[in-house]
Structures are given as C-alpha cells and as structure tokens.
Amino acid sequence: MDFANTPSFFRQGPRPLVRLISCTTLSIALLVADSRFGLMEPAREALSVVLYPLQWAVNAPVSGARDLGSFLTSQTELQQENRQLRAAALSNAAQLGRLATVERELAELKALGQIASSRTDVAAQAEVLYTGRDAFTNKLIIDRGTNAGLRGGMPVLDSHGLLGQITRVQPLTAEVTLVVDKNQMVPVMIERTGQRAILYGYGGGVELRYMPIHADVKEGDRLVTSGIDSVFPPGVPVAQVGKVDRNAGAAFARVACIPYAGVQSSRYVLVVSEKQMPPAPKPAQPAAPVDAKAAKAAAKAAKKAAKKAADKGAAKPAAKTAKAASASAPR
Amino acid sequence: MERPQELLKPVKRRLIYLTFTLALVVELVPLPVGSVRWLPDFVGMLILYWVLNQPSRVGIGTAFILGLIADVATAGLFGQHALAYTITAYLVLLRQRQLVMFNLGIQAIAVLGLLQVNQLIMVVARMATGSAFVGWSFFLPPLIGALLWPLLTNLLVLPYRQRSL
C-alpha cells in the first residue's frame, strides 16, 4: 500500500479532530464576520488580487474567441442588421420629431399658464386655429369668440409678450390682428428711459416712427406697453429695438424692432380684458343751441307745471322740477 | 481490490498544485449561465481525491485554505466553502484506510454522500445567514460528480503509473 502511504508517526502534527475543530471554528467565525459585520472585505480583496491573473488567463481565450467570431460575422448579416437599424432610426426620428413638437407645446402652455395665473385680467386662454389666408394682412384666428366673452379690441398676449389685438369676434372664433400687421399701432414706452412712442406694424415687422434723430434709443432696448391708452395693460413687453438708423438727411431716425411674441410660432395665446380705466368724467355739456332749446322746453314745462300747481295750491314739487331743469342748463 | 496492488511512482507536489489550479480555473471560466445547475464542484472533488489518496500531503488545513480561495472565486459568503471542505476532509480522514481499499463504484457512492454533505453544509450556512432556500436542484451536481469519480481517479493515476510493468 504504497499509494496511501501511511504518515510517519512524528510528522503527524496535531490530531485530525483538533484540526477539524480549529478550522471549523475559524470558518464559522469568518462566516459570521462576513455576513453580519462585513469584516472580511480586505481579505477578500487581497485574495481576489491573487486570483486575478488566473481569472485573466481563463478569460483571455474566451474573449479572444468571441472577438474572432465577431470579426468573421458574415457580410449578409451585417447588411441585414444595417437595414434593420436604418428602419429603426427612421421610425425613431419620426417619433422624436413628434416628441419635440409636443414638448414645445407643453413648454408654451406652461409659460402661458404662469402668466395667466399671475394676471387678474385674463379673459380667456385660446388656441390658434389657423392664420388668416389673406396675404396682405397678418391675422390669426383663435378658437374662442363671444362664447368666451371676447370683445373686439381686447389685447392678446402669448408667453413672450404682446401678440396683437382682437379685431373681429364671431360666436365661436375671433380674429386677432398681429402687432406686425400694417395699420396696427401700439403705444409703447422705452423701458430704459421711459420715453413714449408709438410702435407701427408695417406688414411683417414693427418699427418706431417719428423718433427724433437725437432720441435716446439704442439697439437692444426693450419696448413695453405704456398703458396710457385705454386698451393695453401697462408693462407688457412688445418688442426689442433692432437697428437704429440715424440718417442726417432725414428728420427722423429709422428704428427697426423685433417683436417678442412669436407672431408666427405661438400656438396658445392669452386674451386679456382691456385696461380698466377710472370712470371718465361726465361728457362735456351738450352744445349750447341744442341745450338752449331743451332748457326752454324744460322751462315751459316747468311754468305749465307751476301754473297747474298754483291752481292746485301745491307749488313745491313744480318748483323743484324747474330748479332741476335750470341746473341742467349751461353754467 | 485490484487497484492498490499496482505499483505507482511517488506523487509529486507539483501535480497536486496543478490539479487544484485547474479546478479553480474551471470555477472561473465564463460558462453559460445554466451550467451552474449541473456542473459538479471540481475543487471539492479534488480535495476528496487527494485527502483520500495522499492524506499526509493534503489534509484539513489544505481543504480550509482551498475553501477560502473557492469562496472568493465563486463570490460566495466568506467561509462557506471552507467550512464544508474542512468537515468533508475530516470525514474522509476518519475512514480513509477503509475507503481507499474500496473499488471505484463503492468509492463513488461514498463520494456522493460526501459531496451531498458539502452542499448541505453550504445550504445551512447560507440559510443561517439569511438567504432563501435555492431549491432541490442544488443537490444535483453531486450526482454528476459521483458519476465522474471513476473517470477522475483514472485520469489522475495516469501520470504516475509506471510505464515498465
């Protein structure tokens, strides 16, 4: 029995049971230390460093074979995959385009929603249905009309600034004339200096007209509604000054401006009610001739009444009427 | 009863190291995922083999150290393989003189039992530290290991069988 050679008596070391007990205790201690306290991480790391060359040596042929396999991938397979990927890319692009549109719309709505919640004079929030088909005017049709309480003359904003003004109202739709439309005018104020001016649309753009050559206006100035008219609420951004052209031969400077509102791009708009003016003083008294007649008539009536009253013997109310009539006469 | 009567060359220490290295390599080879379910624990089998046939060279201490290495290689809990290998090595040492006399069939049955003890210890260790029971398929690899036992023995005898006899 050379194969299972019997150990020599002196080299035996500790007895197997002792070894068993010590090793078992040690491994149980390791188990507990690892699972309960995570103490064995350094030892594990050290051992894994020792194992790494072995791991690498084992993995190298496998990954090499894999690389070789991918190198030898057949042409047809590649072509097929290429075709599939192209198709996928196409459909993805379409989806992405849709997503971009939806995202833009969402951003616009969010911005508009913020403005709507910060304003107290919002009449309606509307969506642009289409742009007017007339090539000579710049108009939009929105999907709210008299049903939403819109009236002609109401200002229309989008998330960036003033867009235009309602010029025609149908039961379910309304027509908005944009600030860039010819004949559309907006009283504005240069925000930096407070100077007032009028912004004219010229069909496709806006400009400040009748600005003196030496007027303090610079490229980049913000134009906001001045609020001195009875239509636009004050402080709404309208346009930014673009190029200022001061020609010594002309009486006025040419000030081209760029509207803030997306005149061609906005999808959702906000209609605000016209500025609430303090109640105007009673209109001036009617013109004298008309009034004189009326006064005479009133006086006549008063006299008649007085007579009647005198007949009746109760002059008081008649006198009152006469007094009122004379009060309405020009002072 | 025929095998021990063979005259064999003394076993070199190098061969023992080499076989253990190979077994660890098998543990590390990136095999298909499903193979773990039936692939036997080669390190455990080799420990059984060397403890059975070379008890003076490979003993409980070696089993313990190899167990620690196997723990790291298999990313298991630190000490579970060590515990299992230590105990099975001791069990082999208890009956080593009997076992080594048996023929390969009976040895294989004994090995099956020992490998199952290995698995059982590991399951108990994992469950004691809070893992869930992995299922009965965990006890399948020892069966395959036992079937492979005669092959393994014959393979490992080859290098030191004497040519001139």
Side-chain angles (χ1 to χ4, degrees):
Chain A
M1 256 184 38
D2 177 64
F3 187 73
N5 49 349
T6 320
S8 106
F9 182 75
F10 292 104
R11 287 192 334 178
Q12 213 164 9
R15 288 173 57 204
L17 191 62
V18 177
R19 287 195 205 197
L20 171 78
I21 289 167
S22 58
C23 283
T24 310
T25 336
L26 197 53
S27 41
I28 288 173
L30 286 175
L31 265 175
V32 172
D34 193 32
S35 63
R36 289 286 147 83
F37 310 112
L39 289 177
M40 298 318 296
E41 284 312 311
R44 191 191 282 271
E45 275 164 30
L47 264 179
S48 71
V49 168
V50 174
L51 269 178
Y52 181 75
L54 209 60
Q55 256 166 340
W56 182 84
V58 167
N59 277 299
V62 174
S63 57
R66 207 173 286 151
D67 286 351
L68 197 68
S70 66
F71 183 73
L72 296 176
T73 312
S74 68
Q75 176 83 3
T76 51
E77 208 170 301
L78 277 180
Q79 266 176 349
Q80 196 186 347
E81 197 178 306
N82 204 338
R83 210 173 306 128
Q84 275 174 1
L85 287 177
R86 260 173 223 276
L90 209 63
S91 75
N92 282 350
Q95 229 162 20
L96 206 65
R98 218 162 35 233
L99 182 71
T101 316
V102 170
E103 258 178 8
R104 215 178 58 81
E105 248 171 49
L106 180 68
E108 206 176 307
L109 272 177
K110 269 186 183 164
L112 213 58
Q114 264 172 6
I115 292 177
S117 60
S118 67
R119 295 194 78 93
T120 54
D121 54 354
V122 171
Q125 205 167 335
E127 188 177 352
V128 174
L129 287 178
Y130 56 91
T131 52
R133 226 164 298 162
D134 184 7
F136 301 99
T137 54
N138 288 284
K139 289 184 177 167
L140 290 178
I141 312 298
I142 58 174
D143 68 344
R144 293 274 190 280
T146 42
N147 63 336
L150 302 193
R151 285 188 311 278
M154 281 181 161
V156 178
L157 320 181
D158 77 352
S159 48
H160 305 291
L162 187 74
L163 191 69
Q165 202 176 1
I166 290 182
T167 46
R168 207 171 287 163
V169 190
Q170 283 95 18
L172 296 174
T173 56
E175 193 183 282
V176 179
T177 302
L178 299 174
V179 284
V180 295
D181 187 62
K182 196 170 160 64
N183 305 331
Q184 179 69 17
M185 285 167 260
V186 184
V188 295
M189 179 173 84
I190 298 171
E191 202 182 43
R192 182 170 55 87
T193 58
Q195 188 183 6
R196 284 188 290 275
I198 293 185
L199 191 74
Y200 286 79
Y202 58 86
V206 284
E207 61 181 359
L208 285 181
R209 286 183 199 162
Y210 314 120
M211 290 295 283
I213 290 240
H214 51 77
D216 182 12
V217 53
K218 279 195 301 197
E219 196 174 326
D221 278 350
R222 269 161 63 92
L223 302 177
V224 299
T225 48
S226 56
I228 55 170
D229 55 292
S230 60
V231 176
F232 298 105
V236 178
V238 183
Q240 189 172 29
V241 173
K243 208 167 146 239
V244 182
D245 191 7
R246 293 189 170 91
N247 191 344
F252 302 109
R254 283 175 55 87
V255 184
C257 303
I258 304 145
Y260 280 121
V263 286
Q264 301 294 345
S265 62
S266 286
R267 189 80 207 283
Y268 297 97
V269 299
L270 208 61
V271 183
V272 299
S273 47
E274 291 166 46
K275 196 182 149 197
Q276 294 300 313
M277 297 294 282
K282 279 271 160 61
Q285 294 310 319
V290 183
D291 212 68
K293 252 183 198 169
K296 258 180 196 168
K300 244 183 194 172
K303 262 180 194 168
K304 258 187 190 169
K307 245 184 192 171
K308 264 188 188 170
D311 294 346
K312 276 189 181 174
K316 252 186 184 174
K320 243 184 193 172
T321 332
K323 227 181 195 175
S326 66
S328 72
R331 270 159 240 173
Chain B
M1 275 302 180
E2 71 279 11
R3 207 167 53 86
Q5 279 147 17
E6 252 180 310
L7 269 176
L8 296 166
K9 283 193 273 191
V11 177
K12 284 180 180 150
R13 200 167 282 268
R14 242 183 306 167
L15 182 79
I16 299 178
Y17 290 149
L18 183 71
T19 54
F20 280 130
T21 315
L22 279 177
L24 282 169
V25 162
V26 171
E27 296 268 341
L28 293 171
V29 167
L31 289 169
V33 180
S35 61
V36 183
R37 295 213 200 108
W38 52 266
L39 210 64
D41 181 4
F42 287 110
V43 180
M45 280 173 73
L46 275 171
I47 287 172
L48 291 186
Y49 178 85
W50 288 123
V51 172
L52 194 59
N53 292 311
Q54 296 287 318
S56 61
R57 300 253 180 96
V58 178
I60 291 169
T62 322
F64 177 72
I65 289 163
L66 279 166
L68 288 186
I69 295 174
D71 283 328
V72 175
T74 58
L77 210 55
F78 212 68
Q80 69 174 49
H81 284 87
L83 182 64
Y85 293 163
T86 308
I87 290 172
T88 43
Y90 174 72
L91 291 178
V92 172
L93 278 181
L94 273 186
R95 295 283 172 205
Q96 187 262 336
R97 284 164 204 218
Q98 277 179 346
L99 280 173
V100 87
M101 298 297 287
F102 288 151
N103 66 16
L104 286 180
I106 297 176
Q107 258 186 24
I109 293 171
V111 164
L112 172 66
L114 288 165
L115 287 174
Q116 294 291 19
V117 169
N118 255 348
Q119 302 292 83
L120 189 70
I121 291 167
M122 279 194 252
V123 164
V124 168
R126 289 312 283 261
M127 284 172 79
T129 53
S131 302
F133 183 60
V134 286
W136 293 107
S137 65
F138 190 65
F139 293 100
L140 177 66
L143 268 175
I144 291 160
L147 289 177
L148 287 176
W149 180 258
L151 186 67
L152 179 81
T153 309
N154 282 325
L155 265 179
L156 289 174
V157 167
L158 272 185
Y160 46 96
R161 186 168 274 163
Q162 280 177 348
R163 305 247 174 259
S164 58
L165 250 177

